[in-house]
Amino acid sequence: MSEENEETKTSNEQQDTPPIPFQQEMEEAVASPEKAEEAKLKARYPNLGAKPGGSDFLMKRLQKGGQKYFDSGDYNMAKAKMKNKQLPTAPAEKTEITGGHIPTPQDLPHRKTSMVTSKLAG
Amino acid sequence: MAAPGGDMQWCFSQVKGAIDDDVAEADIISTVEFNHTGELLATGDKGGRVVIFQQEIENKSLPQFRSEYNVYSTFQSHEPEFDYLKSLEIEEKINKIRWLPQKNAAQFLLSTNDKTIKLWKISERDKRPDGYNLKEDDGRCKDPNSITSLRVPVLIPMDLMVEASPRRVFANAHTYHINSVSVNSDHETYLSADDLRINLWHLEITDRSFNIVDIKPANMEELTEVITAAEFHPHQCNTFVYSSSKGIIRLCDMRESALCDRHTKLFEEPEDPSNRSFFSEIISSISDVKFSHSGRYMMTRDYLSVKIWDLNMENRPVETYQVHEYLRSKLCSLYENDCIFDKFECCWNGNDSVVMTGSYNNFFRMFDRSQRRDVMLEASRENSKPMQVLKPRKVCAGGKRKKDEISVDSLDFNKKILHTAWHPQDNIIAVATTNNLYIFQDKIN
């Protein structure tokens, strides 16, 4: 009984699973398909973080779409500086806008609804 | 109602949507929901559009040719937006639609994208006024001096027009992405949940909402858990549940305190620590939680299974059903192609005896709780002859593949059924593939 408790305690305390002997890992892999898949993953990505379900996934989930490159502050400052001059126009292709070029609202991927009726209603 | 799941023979009824394989992103179906009578069926898509179908009783004398669902109304619910302050795009994709119980001639539904919830009124107009005194029939104003007699305008019939209008817009209350909306049994309030917070709204009031759950840590580095779904209890207006990415469901009672950060009940199945793997937490993340109609049970969906919980027992589910256990030995590749993060929904039938959920390869599963039977069916154009009975499908995990079985390596992981809905009373189901909506019905009925 106390052995079980110890085991549980260890698992909960440590976020990083300590490296276990190779043979033991192989034995576990045979017993559990999940562990076998984990071994496969670790073999392909040896630098995979020790905190699997932790912050990285969740942060990515919270971000979702990711940030586009538009800074309203920069844009307004650049507009004020320019005064009579035109803002540099965007390149013809939709390349990612970084560096010295100050993006304008026109540079952003223009996502307007096409107002096309859903094909489900067709 | 017909015999439960095992004896039911599901037949193809209808399919909506384009046949071509080239799917435009806007056409991807993102939510499906019957209204409370089952007469209306709403779908939302990635393009921010809502399409509502209405059941039309065709031939009452021939019950086997049951009514069909035809387009009733369609409208653009949400549009893409750009948050200039945070440099973030706000998708117009409809995450959830929830119908309000009907109170008058009009129908109301809540539809939400990542940031804004809208209350839509869908009303019918089949009469128009005719015979004005000051206006001609074409709308031009009459010269008052030319009028010699008065008449009373009358309402005359016209072709049915269904109009959808936004009645309320509930905006600016969510920093993170809204995943759930749930109408309270009091029919006056509703909750909206994002990754870290749950807000309580009154349907009439758009300029404020109450925060009832906040799990945002003071230091974001300490973030370990996010909210994945939330729902109000079907009868107890003070009770709601929310599920998390760690496989935990918390039940909260709003009578206890204004901020329900402390749960009343916590439902979690203990895990054998020796079974723990890199994937454990990811596949335990709950993608959907649904109360039974009775209010006694709730169902959760995680990556590989469906679990039924008795609200009176917190330490483990009363039933567990494996949806596609054969995927357990494919977790590595499912992680690499991101499929392991797919969010499957689940639903109950009208009398809570059968539950349904989707899978890959356009397969979906039904588990009959009372008869302890289950079946896997497929939504495909190949089985779309009118009233064609669906043949059960089987996946072979490895080794010898029997005839009619499909090998797990042949499954198409791009064909996922994430959204399904069951008519509240009858054995009619709506199953959404990527861009098509299938309607199946039980043969007997």
Side-chain angles (χ1 to χ4, degrees), chain B residues 111-155:
Chain B
S111 77
T112 187
N113 71 348
D114 284 338
K115 297 287 182 180
T116 306
I117 307 124
K118 294 187 185 181
L119 177 69
W120 286 89
K121 176 181 180 183
I122 298 107
S123 47
E124 291 184 1
R125 194 197 290 263
D126 61 356
K127 293 183 188 52
R128 63 177 180 85
D130 186 61
Y132 285 106
N133 290 292
L134 296 174
K135 269 197 295 190
E136 300 280 5
D137 284 339
D138 59 8
R140 280 179 304 142
C141 288
K142 269 188 180 156
D143 174 13
N145 297 318
S146 69
I147 297 168
T148 53
S149 60
L150 287 179
R151 57 185 177 168
V152 178
V154 290
L155 291 172

Side-chain angles (χ1 to χ4, degrees), chain A residues 34-35 37-38 44-45 52-53 55 57-58 61-62 64 66-68 70 111 113 116 119-120, chain B residues 27 49 76 79-80 86-87 89 92 114 195 223-224 274 276-278 281 328-329 331-332 336:
Chain A
E34 223 174 285
K35 291 251 165 78
E37 291 296 297
E38 181 174 6
R44 286 187 205 175
Y45 307 101
S55 297
F57 288 138
L58 298 181
R61 187 202 170 109
L62 293 182
K64 208 190 175 183
Q67 284 186 303
K68 309 288 170 185
F70 177 80
R111 298 190 62 248
T113 11
V116 174
K119 293 197 180 122
L120 290 183
Chain B
D27 293 325
R49 300 164 300 190
Q76 186 78 37
E79 309 224 349
K86 295 183 187 163
S87 292
E89 223 164 42
E92 66 274 35
D114 284 338
D195 291 315
L223 182 70
T224 55
S274 63
R276 193 162 179 82
S277 78
F278 174 85
E281 194 172 307
R328 200 179 289 269
S329 54
L331 290 176
C332 180
E336 287 176 307

Side-chain angles (χ1 to χ4, degrees), chain A residues 120, chain B residues 14-16 29 31-44 50-56 68-75 97 99 107 109 122 419-424 428-432 437-440:
Chain A
L120 290 183
Chain B
Q14 295 171 275
V15 61
K16 310 279 182 190
I29 299 171
T31 185
V32 180
E33 187 84 353
F34 280 101
N35 77 335
H36 294 267
T37 61
E39 186 205 354
L40 298 176
L41 175 61
T43 61
V50 171
V51 181
I52 302 174
F53 302 93
Q54 183 189 43
Q55 191 181 31
E56 287 175 37
E68 285 201 333
Y69 282 85
N70 298 319
V71 179
Y72 179 66
S73 170
T74 178
F75 54 92
I97 288 174
W99 290 93
Q107 301 277 358
L109 61 79
I122 298 107
H419 313 285
T420 59
W422 204 308
H423 189 287
I428 305 174
I429 55 176
V431 173
L437 183 72
Y438 286 79
I439 299 172
F440 301 107

